[in-house]
């Protein structure tokens, strides 16, 4: 049973606008969350993370928001650029288990 | 970029043949992982290692074995490949356990005919 869910398989956004990617989790022991970005034929690359003691973390154009009560996190990309077109994976870990659980990914397409 | 290489990058093999994929790191990180990526599933952990000769199973370990005789190398073996093992395989490393970022290699695309 998948503990991390990305319910939107794809997202299309115009260049310069905001991209919002969503992720839900079911395991209340998760306390560390990450977003990875993946281009075709390459490995995932780390984008941004957040621990459960925070509700927001920002790095340049990328901001991750965490809502622990709703077991929900989101990634905001502002402004979206053509190079942001990629697959984005949400991942989580926590408790005594340091292994990462991944969502199925969301494919973002930034239109010119 | 973390120094992680995977070999081969592409492989086509036949059902029933053994296959070994190699992951090599130059970061001297203690933890190494093997994942497979399939549409609709994201990345799923196959096996991981927490030190030389110390390995354990992940969520999709059936049909796979691993070995780690040196810090820098982590091998994934498909003893008898099946078509269901057609996938893209990624190796990852991390310096510590727990709330720690994992860094991924470029992947190996495996096709089992």
């Amino acid at each position: 049973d998948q503990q991390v869910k990305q319910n939107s398989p794809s997202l299309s956004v115009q260049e310069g606008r905001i991209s919002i990617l969503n992720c839900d989790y079911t395991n209340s022991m998760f306390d560390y969350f990450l977003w990875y970005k993946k281009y075709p034929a390459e490995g995932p690359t780390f984008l941004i993370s957040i621990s459960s003691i925070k509700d927001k973390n920002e790095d340049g154009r990328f901001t991750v928001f965490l809502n622990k009560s709703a077991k929900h996190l989101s990634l905001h990309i502002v402004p979206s650029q053509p190079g942001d077109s990629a697959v984005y994976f949400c991942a989580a870990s926590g408790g005594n288990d340091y292994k990462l659980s991944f969502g199925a990914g969301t494919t973002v397409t930034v239109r010119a | 970029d973390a120094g992680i290489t995977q070999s081969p990058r592409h492989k086509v093999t036949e059902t029933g043949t053994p296959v070994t994929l190699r992951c090599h790191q130059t970061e001297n990180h203690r933890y190494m992982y093997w994942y497979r990526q399939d549409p609709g599933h994201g990345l799923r952990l196959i096996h991981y290692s927490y030190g030389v000769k110390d390995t354990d199973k992940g969520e999709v370990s059936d049909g796979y074995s691993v070995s780690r005789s040196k810090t820098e190398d982590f091998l994934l073996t498909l003893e008898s490949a099946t078509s269901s093992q057609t996938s893209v395989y990624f190796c990852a490393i991390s310096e510590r356990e727990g709330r720690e970022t994992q860094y991924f290699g470029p992947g190996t695309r495996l096709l089992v005919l």
Side-chain angles (χ1 to χ4, degrees), chain A residues 2 31-32 34 36 38 41-44 46 49 89 93-95 98-100 102-105, chain B residues 9 31 33 35 37 40-43 45 48 50 90 97-106:
Chain A
Q2 211 158 10
D31 60 4
Y32 185 62
L34 309 90
Y36 284 86
K38 185 185 178 306
E42 295 184 10
F46 170 70
S49 64
F89 292 102
S93 71
Y98 53 84
K99 299 187 288 292
L100 287 180
F102 283 84
Chain B
R9 293 294 313 278
Y31 296 88
Y33 313 82
Y35 291 88
Q37 185 201 356
H41 291 278
L43 289 95
L45 183 65
Y48 61 98
Y50 46 97
F90 291 101
E97 65 178 343
R99 291 87 185 145
E100 180 76 8
T101 300
Q102 293 182 17
Y103 296 93
F104 285 81

Side-chain angles (χ1 to χ4, degrees), chain B residues 14-25:
Chain B
E14 294 186 348
T15 298
T17 60
V19 176
T20 295
L21 308 183
R22 179 182 183 237
C23 176
H24 179 79
Q25 59 143 332

Side-chain angles (χ1 to χ4, degrees), chain A:
Chain A
D1 190 27
Q2 211 158 10
Q3 300 183 80
V4 177
K5 297 181 182 179
Q6 295 177 255
N7 292 318
S8 297
S10 63
L11 172 69
S12 180
V13 63
Q14 193 164 13
E15 182 178 1
R17 307 294 286 268
I18 184 171
S19 293
I20 300 176
L21 291 78
N22 294 303
C23 178
D24 297 297
Y25 61 96
T26 57
N27 188 338
S28 59
M29 297 298 291
F30 286 154
D31 60 4
Y32 185 62
F33 305 89
L34 309 90
W35 286 93
Y36 284 86
K37 176 180 179 179
K38 185 185 178 306
Y39 292 121
E42 295 184 10
T45 56
F46 170 70
L47 195 55
I48 192 169
S49 64
I50 188 168
S51 92
S52 60
I53 62 173
K54 296 184 174 182
D55 55 17
K56 176 183 174 181
N57 189 28
E58 190 172 355
D59 184 2
R61 297 186 297 115
F62 302 92
T63 302
V64 56
F65 296 92
L66 176 61
N67 182 333
K68 291 184 289 293
S69 60
K71 294 191 178 67
H72 177 84
L73 65 156
S74 61
L75 174 68
H76 292 207
I77 306 173
V78 185
S80 299
Q81 299 175 352
D84 296 331
S85 295
V87 179
Y88 290 79
F89 292 102
C90 172
S93 71
N96 295 322
D97 187 345
Y98 53 84
K99 299 187 288 292
L100 287 180
S101 294
F102 283 84
T106 297
T107 300
V108 172
T109 302
V110 180
R111 309 185 310 272

Side-chain angles (χ1 to χ4, degrees), chain B residues 81-96:
Chain B
T82 67
S83 58
S84 65
Q85 294 176 311
T86 291
S87 187
V88 183
Y89 291 86
F90 291 101
C91 173
I93 64 173
S94 66
E95 190 169 9
R96 293 177 294 271

